[in-house]
Amino acid sequence: MKRHLVSAADLTRDDALLILDTAEELAQLSGRAVKKLPTLRGRTVVNLFFEDSTRTKTSFEVAEKRLSADVINFSAKGSSVSKGESLKDTALTLQAMGADAVVIRHHASGAPARLAQSDWLRGSVINAGDGTHEHPTQALLDAFTMRRHLNPGNGRDLAGRRITIVGDVLHSRVARSNVHLLTTLGAEVTFVAPPTLMPIGIENWPCQVSYDLDAVLPKTDALMMLRVQRERMNAAFFPTEREYSRRYGMDGIRMAQLPEHAIVMHPGPMVRGMEITAEVADSPRCTVVEQVANGVSVRMAVLYLLLGGAVFADNAEPARTETNEAAQ
Amino acid sequence: MTSYLIRNVQILGGAAKDIHIADGVFQEIGEGLTVEADIDIDGHGLIALPGLVDLHTHLREPGREDAETVLTGTQAAAMGGYTAVHAMANTFPVADTAGVVEQVWRLGQEHGYCDVQPVGAVTVGLEGKKLAELGAMHDSAAGVRVFSDDGKCVDDAVIMRRALEYVKAFDGVVAQHAQEPRLTEGAQMNEGQVSGELGLGGWPAVAEESIIARDVLLAAHVGSRLHVCHLSTAGSVEIVRWAKQKGWNVTAEVTPHHLLLTDEMVRSYDPVYKVNPPLRTAADVEALRAALADGTIDAVATDHAPHPAEDKDCEWAVAAMGMVGLETALSVVQQTMVDTGLLNWEGVADRMSRRPARIGRLTGQGRPISVGEPANLVLFDPAYRGAVNPDSFATRSRNTPYKGMDLPGRVHATFLRGKATVLAGELVEL
């Protein structure tokens, strides 16, 4: 793996498994009385959020603090950015302050890639969601959750598992990251959505495409529901909320069509009653809360591997450092 | 006035001859000329082409002199072999009155690096609602004949119809930027495989094609001249081809970058590739090249769009659209059309000088290299190979996608009515 985590496509199978295995080890920390490691002591991580995100931002912040990093939260609102400062100047400022890593959430697709490719910043760039492009740590926590349920154990992937992703694929960074990562891990991915919410050219993506949710459910090991933004209705992506719900919503009747071992996932926040009924959301098969907890472990693993001195699989053996020892 | 003797130069790639220029015209053309001249130029290995004419240049003055001025833009034009450019109307203030077009025209006259023919806006403020004073702009010293809201599409069918009808009174032409606005809301790049993967708003080909289809029908209906700016899709080519087969008075242009680059380049998220219309697919590039070769597309036009560094050195979403092109156009055309065997140098002269001059009704430009004609001339070295270095550009801006790219050919000299504006690859102090 490279210095940055901008796209799930950047991860080889070995990289991805290293992150998932490391996350498994770090997850044990959450059960301890003192949930802290000295791994990133003296390192500075900046959370650079140009877009509101309570869940992802908090998850990264918890992960950073558990690894003892110095955390700086930089929000676009009320900052120099709202006074017209460019991304470049913001990055140069963070560089001058000695940021070792920048976790960036941006409303524009490609902003983290631009930051990573520029010479504005020497630290690592971690994409915490960019526009409708990617959200690689979300995909990692999704894969982590799936592996725990469908093929548990370090070193294992998701070979042969059938994952169905339902909803607004067109505007979903979660879907884009997941299709890369899940196929890298050997899973078979099927997208289900109305044709208006499928990206142009999806027929060339490494996945199946279906407009019929009921036909796909019996062949699904993990079902991931995507959030549908209500403003999409005004842009005529689908006729009404009720019609969308009837054709692509998840309810108890549809849940009964899933194999018994199958799980239902959602990146949150959920729109209950439209994408998913309370019956499904609150069922033991729904992993939404578990995904949130797993998010912290996965983000700790990413930060640990990018900043803790270890390197990923295609470069060299992970360095055995004090911080590695502490993680075990 | 300085006289020149150019020895052993290939005229349009034909036989090598000597060319004697004095008093602003071609005095003699032949083999082994013995005339005395102030400056002798060794033309061995060089090709002589008529001075190039650009139908589509953004000079930015007035209003955005930080990006370009009439002086730096025309110097860039001279360095690229151009002797005339059409200056687009989207300045600040907009060139929608006789006063503004005269200002731009006079600046061109004063600086003297090439003829500047202002394009007048079709509608007031480029807002698409009310016709600008088209007649006053034509009657001004600038003598405007090309009208365009370029950068924006005249999307109201009634306004477009009226503009087409109105300019018939003075043999004008409406140059349309074909972009259906609703279909391109939020668009950031070509809609296709790459936009889907990158999560960037898609700009569908049909947004261009549907406007061109409407406009050729409108132009035919009212019997007017229509010029279609910067064609970028294979479908657009088919519509223009159909209109021409019908005998309608429709012309079209293509930019050098749409002949070379594809939307695959956007994968880098480097805003240097952000342009309007967007870079399309390899199949579109192939269709555009073929159409330029067979004459369906009349002209190569640069859409030279300078932007200061801060407008490009940023994330893709907020970056300005456009790229500079005057100084690299002929090299890109050599690479994509000549070196591929699609067009000979005679064809290049036709698409980059003769036909653009005819579309813009520039009677003194796009003329043959013949005795007695005004000496608008470019000497081009097609054997030159070298990496593009934007630091050597005359244009004020550096937003080129070709930085570091090996492109063939280099302009050796440019003459505007017998006066050298570029010699030995360097600007001449006028």
Side-chain angles (χ1 to χ4, degrees):
Chain A
M1 186 170 146
K2 298 146 187 162
R3 191 172 95 224
H4 312 290
L5 179 56
V6 169
S7 164
D10 295 340
L11 298 169
T12 64
R13 179 178 176 280
D14 287 349
D15 289 336
L17 289 179
L18 179 61
I19 295 171
L20 298 186
D21 293 350
T22 306
E24 279 292 355
E25 292 181 19
L26 291 168
Q28 295 168 21
L29 192 70
S30 63
R32 295 187 194 162
V34 179
K35 302 177 180 61
K36 213 161 174 86
L37 291 173
T39 311
L40 299 186
R41 199 165 50 200
R43 314 298 294 275
T44 302
V45 180
V46 178
N47 297 321
L48 181 57
F49 276 61
F50 290 86
E51 188 181 72
D52 289 335
S53 162
T54 308
R55 177 179 310 244
T56 304
K57 187 175 175 183
T58 307
S59 180
F60 267 106
E61 196 171 342
V62 170
E64 291 151 7
K65 286 180 172 170
R66 284 190 180 172
L67 293 173
S68 304
D70 293 328
V71 180
I72 297 170
N73 288 311
F74 193 96
S75 168
K77 275 186 187 164
S79 75
S80 51
V81 173
S82 62
K83 297 170 191 160
E85 186 175 74
S86 68
L87 178 63
K88 178 181 179 178
D89 286 329
T90 302
L92 292 173
T93 301
L94 300 178
Q95 174 62 35
M97 291 176 178
D100 295 297
V102 172
V103 176
I104 176 172
R105 160 69 66 97
H106 203 287
H107 43 78
S109 300
R114 185 85 180 112
L115 204 56
Q117 289 159 17
S118 72
D119 55 1
W120 308 334
L121 204 62
R122 283 195 294 277
S124 295
V125 174
I126 300 170
N127 182 1
D130 62 324
T132 53
H133 178 219
E134 285 224 38
H135 195 354
T137 58
Q138 176 71 40
L140 283 162
L141 76 88
D142 290 335
F144 184 86
T145 307
M146 289 175 203
R147 189 173 77 161
R148 278 195 159 183
H149 283 270
L150 304 175
N151 196 16
N154 279 3
R156 294 192 171 174
D157 61 14
L158 295 168
R161 292 301 185 178
R162 293 168 298 191
I163 317 298
T164 300
I165 299 175
V166 185
D168 186 358
V169 179
L170 177 64
H171 300 98
S172 175
R173 50 194 173 209
V174 175
R176 281 176 181 76
S177 282
N178 265 296
V179 76
H180 289 306
L181 183 66
L182 295 175
T183 51
T184 296
L185 291 172
E188 296 167 17
V189 177
T190 301
F191 284 129
V192 180
T196 49
L197 290 176
M198 292 285 193
I200 296 285
I202 198 168
E203 60 277 9
N204 297 319
W205 292 22
C207 60
Q208 303 292 311
V209 172
S210 172
Y211 307 132
D212 184 352
L213 178 57
D214 292 302
V216 177
L217 288 173
K219 298 173 282 185
T220 294
D221 297 309
L223 178 73
M224 185 186 300
M225 306 302 292
L226 298 174
R227 191 163 72 89
V228 178
Q229 295 175 21
R230 287 174 191 266
E231 61 265 30
R232 304 286 178 227
M233 280 185 292
N234 299 329
F237 285 101
F238 49 87
T240 65
E241 193 173 324
R242 285 319 311 154
E243 168 142 333
Y244 179 87
S245 189
R246 273 194 299 271
R247 293 176 68 85
Y248 301 101
M250 193 62 194
D251 57 17
I253 296 168
R254 285 197 164 122
M255 191 162 64
Q257 296 179 58
L258 289 168
E260 273 189 25
H261 66 270
I263 56 172
V264 179
M265 308 176 73
H266 197 298
M270 294 183 283
V271 179
R272 290 181 182 238
M274 181 187 176
E275 302 153 4
I276 192 164
T277 63
E279 182 185 6
V280 180
D282 297 332
S283 83
R285 300 173 73 173
C286 183
T287 62
V288 172
V289 176
E290 197 183 324
Q291 286 170 261
V292 175
N294 293 342
V296 174
S297 304
V298 158
R299 285 167 181 134
M300 285 174 75
V302 168
L303 287 160
Y304 167 71
L305 291 166
L306 285 178
L307 290 181
V311 288
F312 284 113
D314 66 348
N315 290 340
E317 289 291 309
R320 304 301 297 179
T321 62
E322 175 202 337
T323 53
N324 287 58
E325 303 297 338
Q328 291 171 19
Chain B
M1 193 173 190
T2 309
S3 61
Y4 302 88
L5 182 61
I6 307 159
R7 298 185 186 278
N8 290 310
V9 65
Q10 287 184 295
I11 299 176
L12 295 176
K17 292 186 177 172
D18 300 344
I19 300 175
H20 177 222
I21 297 171
D23 299 325
V25 298
F26 296 113
Q27 297 287 349
E28 282 185 83
I29 298 173
E31 292 177 12
L33 296 186
T34 55
V35 292
E36 290 288 319
D38 299 322
I39 296 178
D40 268 29
I41 297 173
D42 178 8
H44 182 75
L46 302 178
I47 292 173
L49 300 167
L52 308 183
V53 176
D54 193 17
L55 278 165
H56 198 138
T57 304
H58 296 275
L59 291 178
R60 302 297 188 214
E61 189 177 10
R64 285 306 304 268
E65 291 83 357
D66 56 328
E68 192 80 284
T69 63
V70 173
L71 174 62
T72 57
T74 52
Q75 286 177 332
M79 287 292 283
Y82 287 89
T83 50
V85 297
H86 288 77
M88 276 296 169
N90 60 340
T91 48
F92 302 97
V94 171
D96 57 2
T97 63
V100 178
V101 294
E102 274 199 16
Q103 177 193 357
V104 173
W105 177 77
R106 286 191 193 286
L107 283 168
Q109 294 269 305
E110 286 168 16
H111 297 318
Y113 279 95
C114 75
D115 287 347
V116 174
Q117 183 56 47
V119 173
V122 176
T123 65
V124 174
L126 308 176
E127 290 179 349
K129 293 175 182 158
K130 187 174 182 301
L131 287 183
E133 289 190 347
L134 309 174
M137 288 189 275
H138 171 261
D139 294 341
S140 73
V144 175
R145 280 212 174 80
V146 182
F147 298 89
S148 180
D149 277 1
D150 180 64
K152 290 183 176 177
C153 178
V154 182
D155 65 306
D156 184 314
V158 173
I159 296 285
M160 187 63 185
R161 173 196 170 145
R162 299 292 182 233
L164 285 164
E165 284 179 310
Y166 196 82
V167 300
K168 282 167 68 175
F170 35 84
D171 193 25
V173 60
V174 178
Q176 175 70 293
H177 172 119
Q179 179 188 347
E180 209 289 320
R182 280 281 282 155
L183 285 172
T184 52
E185 276 176 14
Q188 306 229 27
M189 66 169 297
N190 178 47
E191 180 180 283
Q193 187 69 40
V194 182
S195 69
E197 292 176 21
L198 295 185
L200 288 174
W203 189 308
V206 70
E208 177 175 304
E209 294 154 2
S210 58
I211 291 291
I212 297 175
R214 181 201 73 175
D215 286 353
V216 297
L217 292 168
L218 280 175
H221 181 65
V222 299
S224 293
R225 282 207 292 146
L226 170 74
H227 178 71
V228 187
C229 295
H230 39 52
L231 286 199
S232 70
T233 79
S236 297
V237 166
E238 285 310 306
I239 296 162
V240 170
R241 185 171 283 135
W242 173 74
K244 286 192 167 189
Q245 283 166 354
K246 289 277 191 182
W248 299 339
N249 209 341
V250 174
T251 54
E253 68 187 35
V254 64
T255 72
H257 47 271
H258 285 107
L259 292 172
L260 180 62
L261 308 174
T262 71
D263 62 353
E264 285 291 330
M265 276 86 179
V266 182
R267 288 189 187 280
S268 65
Y269 284 111
D270 187 340
V272 77
Y273 299 111
K274 187 172 177 182
V275 67
N276 178 349
L279 300 176
R280 303 288 189 181
T281 66
D284 292 311
V285 167
E286 192 179 344
L288 292 166
R289 288 183 184 184
L292 184 64
D294 70 21
T296 301
I297 295 176
D298 301 84
V300 174
T302 66
D303 197 3
H304 175 81
H307 291 292
E310 60 268 26
D311 288 356
K312 282 291 193 178
D313 199 12
C314 53
E315 57 272 37
W316 180 275
V318 298
M321 289 182 286
M323 45 184 73
V324 294
L326 284 168
E327 288 162 269
T328 48
L330 196 47
S331 292
V332 174
V333 169
Q334 182 186 340
Q335 172 149 321
T336 58
M337 302 300 297
V338 180
D339 291 352
T340 53
L342 290 167
L343 211 57
N344 59 21
W345 289 107
E346 169 59 34
V348 173
D350 184 60
R351 310 299 196 273
M352 295 186 77
S353 179
R354 195 174 309 135
R355 284 213 228 182
R358 199 184 307 149
I359 292 165
R361 298 292 192 255
L362 303 182
T363 52
Q365 297 281 349
R367 306 288 305 166
I369 302 172
S370 304
V371 173
E373 291 285 353
N376 296 316
L377 185 72
V378 53
L379 303 181
F380 189 69
D381 177 4
Y384 177 85
R385 291 288 183 282
V388 174
N389 176 15
D391 292 337
S392 69
F393 283 177
T395 175
R396 182 161 280 185
S397 296
R398 297 288 175 266
N399 50 306
T400 174
Y402 308 119
K403 180 181 179 181
M405 188 185 288
D406 277 321
L407 287 178
R410 182 171 63 167
V411 170
H412 183 81
T414 307
F415 298 86
L416 174 63
R417 282 184 291 281
K419 183 157 56 169
T421 53
V422 172
L423 275 179
E426 302 283 342
L427 274 176
V428 174
E429 187 102 16
L430 298 182

